[in-house]
Amino acid sequence: MHPPPAYPVDQRPCAPVRAAGRHRVLGLREVLIQAHRIDDLALSLPPAHSALLRYLTAMTAELTGLDDPDLSLDEWHERRTGLLASGRGLKAQDVHDYFDAAVWDLYDPHRPFLQDPRLAEQCTHTSGINKLVFGRPAGNNLSWLSVHTDTAPRPVPSDEAFWHLLIQHYYGAAGRCTSRAAGPHTSGRATAGPLRSTLSFHPQGATLLETLLLHQFPYRGGPRRPPDACPWQEAAPPDPVNPPPAVTWPKRLLTGRSRHAVLLVPNADGSAAIDAYLTWATQHPVYPATDPYLIIDTRTRAKTEQRDRPRRADADRAVWRDLDALLLAGDESSTQRRPAVFDTLNDLPAEVRARLRVRVCGFDQDGRTTNSTWYTALTPPVWTRAEEHNPVAARRIAACRQAAEHLAALLRTHANAAWHEMHTPTAGGGVPPAQRRGHRTSRWAREALALYWPRAEQAFWNLINQPADEADDPYPVFARTAVDVLRQAARPDLARHRTAGPALARAVRALNAAAAPASRRKKAARHAQP
């Protein structure tokens, strides 16, 4: 008789890591035991990387005692500093005891890890394995560039199914899903996952254990009833009928806010998932909570409940443009607030602070169902330039970023205007009427901006690395960049259209005006978009 299918992620390989220049795939138990010897996680899917960091952070908080709400702020920082300075790993027996206390099998018949076995009875049919896997077309969606179809679904290896399970809990779609009947609730609609369409910023140290310690943040008050717990520590899967428990620190905040319920269907030996149920986990409203790894933007004119929003992931926006939001401490008038975890990094040992980098994980999505692309980036060591340690450097970074954004806005405006002039000649040879609002971005503007941002990034790093007493004014630097890329974008049209040259010349003069001294920029600033 064959044993039942099983894939315990605490023991079976499911987490790719990088250590000493080599890549390995470990179970979660071994990841934590070896965390002080591992350089970094190496998941190929950035949203899964971001999700797994949150899970491991919650586990590390309990294993190190940094989740003790009775610690004063000074005691908490002292404990973390001691752990960072010790160079030792987590105690292997503590890790084994932690994992022995829960079920980690993806296919356990009674308590499958991060899943709800009741879905097999509460759902009328499965959702299909393609619905679980991000990047595969499912349902009636066309498979333009994919070999996957719902008529012949391909199994997903269990370790990869685990990654997509994590992504669904954090970045899952809103809207239509497989219908579920639970108590008085029968519905086929779900709400979006807590991180959908967001951009996460993760402090990164020299080892995975150092990274997980840098991810910790102290208790700042809030509900402590019921006791704080991760989903795998609960007595049962999340209740779909009654309101979910309050968001408690740190475990429920990091791991317990999923809006989706999932159940994987394995093949005979548990090596792969061949089908899945994917539906809603609760019909109750979302509890307000602020994830500690997100930048919060404040819209001062919005309603109070809609004023603070996490910064959205945008694959067209380079990561360096968010750098000043991390380094500036902010004040009451700021319209952006850095991730809360970065407020805990100012008391780090100097050697840890000097090597601290930031891992950025973004998933460009709309708020409901469309997924565009995911991406990741790793900054150089930047925390020595935080406002608390080097206010001059932090303000310089902010000024250079603002100048780059300002010139980009001017470039778009004047490239569009020049394109409009070229295609709207006047009988007297004068300047045509101004372009009306609502017109699409012109080809000149699109091509110029595509050329501008990579060059602006290089100019940005050059500017912020200059000695303070020799630092250039950033506006002329970015103005020259904008002029160069606009000329390059317009060059093919100069020989075809007699009006292209004069239109381009007017746009160049307007961009060069931005290189004037600060007192003369006010006129050009009127054209910049917020």
Side-chain angles (χ1 to χ4, degrees):
M1 185 176 180
H2 294 290
Y7 201 91
V9 293
D10 65 319
Q11 300 178 35
R12 299 289 296 275
C14 67
V17 300
R18 188 181 71 252
R22 297 177 55 195
H23 284 78
R24 304 164 60 196
V25 184
L26 305 175
L28 298 184
R29 191 181 297 241
E30 197 64 21
V31 166
L32 287 179
I33 291 174
Q34 299 293 330
H36 60 299
R37 299 190 182 99
I38 293 172
D39 298 330
D40 192 13
L41 297 176
L43 278 79
S44 58
L45 310 182
H49 188 129
S50 180
L52 187 55
L53 275 174
R54 286 173 168 85
Y55 278 74
L56 295 175
T57 297
M59 298 176 191
T60 303
E62 181 169 340
L63 289 167
T64 57
L66 290 171
D67 66 338
D68 183 356
D70 295 327
L71 289 176
S72 69
L73 192 58
D74 288 341
E75 290 171 334
W76 188 92
H77 280 285
E78 184 178 352
R79 176 172 295 186
R80 183 172 71 166
T81 299
L83 291 166
L84 287 167
S86 71
R88 297 190 300 270
L90 301 173
K91 294 181 180 178
Q93 189 57 52
D94 291 347
V95 175
H96 287 305
D97 292 343
Y98 181 89
F99 282 95
D100 289 344
V103 177
W104 302 88
D105 185 1
L106 291 178
Y107 306 125
D108 185 86
H110 306 294
R111 195 72 168 90
F113 183 57
L114 298 180
Q115 299 164 71
D116 193 334
R118 297 168 297 191
L119 300 188
E121 298 178 354
Q122 294 175 348
C123 295
T124 56
H125 56 83
T126 62
S127 309
I129 193 63
N130 291 347
K131 189 72 171 177
L132 172 81
V133 180
F134 285 84
R136 288 190 182 185
N140 293 325
N141 295 316
L142 296 176
S143 54
W144 294 106
L145 300 174
S146 174
V147 299
H148 300 284
T149 67
D150 276 350
T151 56
R154 298 190 178 187
V156 181
S158 291
D159 58 337
E160 296 182 22
F162 171 61
W163 305 345
H164 289 279
L165 176 64
L166 295 179
I167 300 174
Q168 289 289 353
H169 282 306
Y170 285 100
Y171 299 88
R176 185 66 189 167
C177 63
T178 298
S179 182
R180 178 186 189 184
H185 302 299
T186 299
S187 176
R189 304 196 71 82
T191 50
L195 298 184
R196 185 166 182 84
S197 74
T198 62
L199 188 63
S200 292
F201 297 86
H202 300 280
Q204 181 156 319
T207 66
L208 178 58
L209 180 57
E210 186 171 287
T211 295
L212 295 176
L213 291 173
L214 296 177
H215 272 63
Q216 304 297 326
F217 51 102
Y219 180 59
R220 295 179 179 173
R224 297 298 299 175
R225 298 288 185 273
D228 190 40
C230 295
W232 52 88
Q233 297 174 315
E234 303 278 11
D239 185 351
V241 176
N242 297 309
V247 179
T248 51
W249 168 89
K251 299 173 190 172
R252 284 197 178 91
L253 177 59
L254 294 180
T255 68
R257 296 194 294 135
S258 175
R259 307 294 297 177
H260 293 79
V262 186
L263 180 61
L264 302 176
V265 179
N267 62 2
D269 62 1
S271 62
I274 59 175
D275 206 343
Y277 297 86
L278 179 60
T279 185
W280 55 270
T282 179
Q283 294 292 314
H284 292 277
V286 177
Y287 286 139
T290 301
D291 186 278
Y293 311 111
L294 306 182
I295 291 175
I296 303 299
D297 291 317
T298 300
R299 301 179 299 171
T300 55
R301 297 184 180 180
K303 296 179 180 178
T304 302
E305 62 274 11
Q306 299 176 343
R307 189 166 295 170
D308 292 341
R309 290 289 182 88
R311 181 160 296 181
R312 294 180 65 91
D314 183 353
D316 294 328
R317 179 183 173 88
V319 170
W320 63 268
R321 295 166 65 184
D322 297 315
L323 193 58
D324 60 323
L326 302 179
L327 299 180
L328 294 176
D331 53 31
E332 297 81 1
S333 61
S334 299
T335 58
Q336 60 187 20
R337 187 166 73 250
R338 68 187 181 192
V341 71
F342 286 86
D343 292 332
T344 73
L345 303 179
N346 298 314
D347 296 325
L348 294 172
E351 63 276 9
V352 177
R353 193 167 62 243
R355 60 178 177 249
L356 189 153
R357 298 183 291 174
V358 181
R359 167 75 62 185
V360 184
C361 297
F363 197 171
D364 192 338
Q365 308 168 287
D366 70 1
R368 297 188 62 79
T369 60
T370 302
N371 303 318
S372 297
T373 187
W374 48 54
Y375 57 95
T376 187
L378 185 63
T379 73
V382 295
W383 203 246
T384 54
R385 303 186 187 190
E387 186 173 17
E388 293 88 340
H389 305 290
N390 193 338
V392 173
R395 288 194 290 269
R396 172 69 172 172
I397 288 172
C400 291
R401 195 274 304 169
Q402 290 165 4
E405 299 272 6
H406 181 74
L407 265 299
L410 288 176
L411 175 60
R412 178 184 289 105
T413 297
H414 295 302
N416 282 335
W419 177 269
H420 175 66
E421 291 175 22
M422 181 180 69
H423 288 87
T424 315
T426 60
V431 179
Q435 184 182 19
R436 291 180 298 176
R437 290 192 176 187
H439 284 218
R440 292 185 300 176
T441 303
S442 67
R443 177 166 60 82
W444 279 8
R446 290 196 305 271
E447 294 181 3
L449 287 168
L451 295 168
Y452 173 82
W453 283 116
R455 299 187 190 183
E457 179 173 5
Q458 184 60 53
F460 170 83
W461 290 112
N462 291 340
L463 286 165
I464 67 172
N465 288 325
Q466 290 176 338
D469 56 345
E470 302 176 8
D472 294 329
D473 182 351
Y475 280 86
V477 175
F478 292 114
R480 289 193 296 270
T481 303
V483 168
D484 290 345
V485 298
L486 180 56
R487 284 175 170 160
Q488 186 173 341
R491 187 174 297 125
D493 293 303
L494 294 177
R496 303 177 195 167
H497 300 276
R498 62 180 179 83
T499 55
L504 175 62
R506 281 187 284 271
V508 167
R509 282 198 299 272
L511 290 172
N512 281 330
S519 60
R520 294 170 52 194
R521 292 183 195 140
K522 293 183 180 179
K523 183 177 180 180
R526 292 202 303 268
H527 300 282
Q529 301 298 316

